[in-house]
Amino acid sequence: MRYGVRPLQRLLRSRPRTGGLVPIAATAFSRAAPLQSPSYASVSAADLQFGQPVHETHPHLLKPGELTPGISALEYAQRRSKLASVLPKDGIAILAASHVKYRSGAVFYDFHQDSDFFYLTGKSTADDDHTFHLYLRPKDPKVEQWEGSRSGIQAAVDVFNADESGDIKDIEKQLSRLIGDSSEVFTDASPSTPSASAFSRLFASKTSHNPQGLATLLDKKSVKPLRNILNEIRNIKSDAEISNMRKAGQASGRAFTEAMRQAWAAEKDLTAFLEYKFKRNGCDTSAYVPVVAGGKNASQIHYVRNDDMLMYATSSIGTIAPINATSSEGDLVLADAGGEYGNYITDITRTWPVSGTFTTPQKELYNAILATQRTCISLCRADASNSLDKIHQIAEASLKDSLSQLGFDMSGNALETLFPHHLGHYIGLDVHDTPGQSRKNPLQVGQCVTVEPGIYVPNTDRWPAAFRGMGIRIEDSVCVQEESPLVLTTEAVKEVDDIEALRA
């Protein structure tokens, strides 16, 4: 088998360039002069190792032409072209990869690539009408014995289709040249945060390699944020992106339904089951830290301790009532979790009775929330011209009316107390995708959002006794289409009859 991405590179490079981009494990994209196509030697894929899967080494994960699961090398090139097309002549965009974060000493956290960097390059490890520069760490057999394979500098060209590459250690010198030749610089790299990477800190001050420092050099340039530009590009999902999110939603939804079939004694057991099933059903990992909240814990929106008991446990010495139990067999459990496939996430919340059977008050409140969610999902279509903010207002009106019918006093700040969060947010590579994107604009075809009404009833005299202490949220991931929504998480059952039938 011969290494297969190089013919695609020749195709991409046959077009003239007028500009460029720089990712950096770091990368840059710039509107610059054309580059000559390099000549390639034929190398057996069996002799190559990279820092992430390619089709030739992992055909069970990647189809021919795919750079990451479900996304082709051509689509990544088209994304870079789209970004380059909105840059001014001789403009440059600079993005940095995420850096490894350490828990203590040499013990590191799971690595998660910066979403903008990944979106434009397809590079998941730490490490057109434009020029694409990608700077990586070189191959190092001694380090790789401990940390795993690195892609190496040549892979920037051979795998990720960069036009120019180099050692990340030389990035300051290379960026000085690129920035010096540019008309405007677009970047979100900032040295101001405590966790800023070494690359970001290059922008902060003078260094021994460059006494003027990149910060000084940038003072002479027009520097603009990249965030809004990338939000506009990332916000509309391609068919391939939606397919990945559907796969994540399907696998995760099935995991939820499987979980509802069983009785769970502890939050941590349910948490472990969901995370295992996400992977077992085809996801790469969990999309975020799950919320698994029994009883009154569900009133904490981002409860992630997941360490309480869900019901009385039975052992050889009889029934044990845990001292720290906050729920009982008559309570509900709320689970907010989802898997990730090809770096694309899904976001699901389901609430169901620990015992498998709803009490009458639980059923009444649950169905009120479910009816609101159904209405809101039906409005996630382009021809309705609704924004997320508008649909949130519709949800508020629906919940207020339903709760009034259930005997709630909805005067004053009642709704804000009972429904304290927004109805939904954008999703994609991130759980809260395209940060800063307005929720005031009408939804467009290809946008993906969550729809998650929830009611959290404090255990106080202001509220009807039958509902005190309940926390119920129902959430699905939805893709906006022209005339109807595409629910990405439909495999997670949510009708009362369907939930109860699982344990019948």
Side-chain angles (χ1 to χ4, degrees), residues 264 267-278 290 292:
W264 298 99
E267 292 171 349
K268 69 180 180 65
D269 297 337
L270 175 52
T271 303
F273 178 85
L274 286 171
E275 294 195 298
Y276 165 72
K277 278 297 183 178
F278 293 158
V292 177

Side-chain angles (χ1 to χ4, degrees), residues 279-355:
K279 292 183 179 181
R280 188 69 182 85
N281 291 348
C283 291
D284 302 320
T285 187
S286 291
Y288 51 95
V289 179
V291 172
V292 177
K296 67 180 183 182
N297 292 335
S299 64
Q300 302 173 41
I301 311 299
H302 287 161
Y303 170 87
V304 292
R305 277 178 26 200
N306 305 341
D307 61 0
D308 268 337
M309 302 302 293
L310 291 174
M311 65 170 63
Y312 295 118
T314 301
S315 71
S316 58
I317 60 173
T319 300
I320 304 170
I323 294 174
N324 68 331
T326 58
S327 62
S328 70
E329 292 192 60
D331 278 331
L332 300 167
V333 58
L334 182 155
D336 183 341
E340 178 182 298
Y341 177 79
N343 278 52
Y344 287 85
I345 70 93
T346 197
D347 195 349
I348 305 174
T349 304
R350 291 292 185 266
T351 309
W352 68 93
V354 172
S355 66

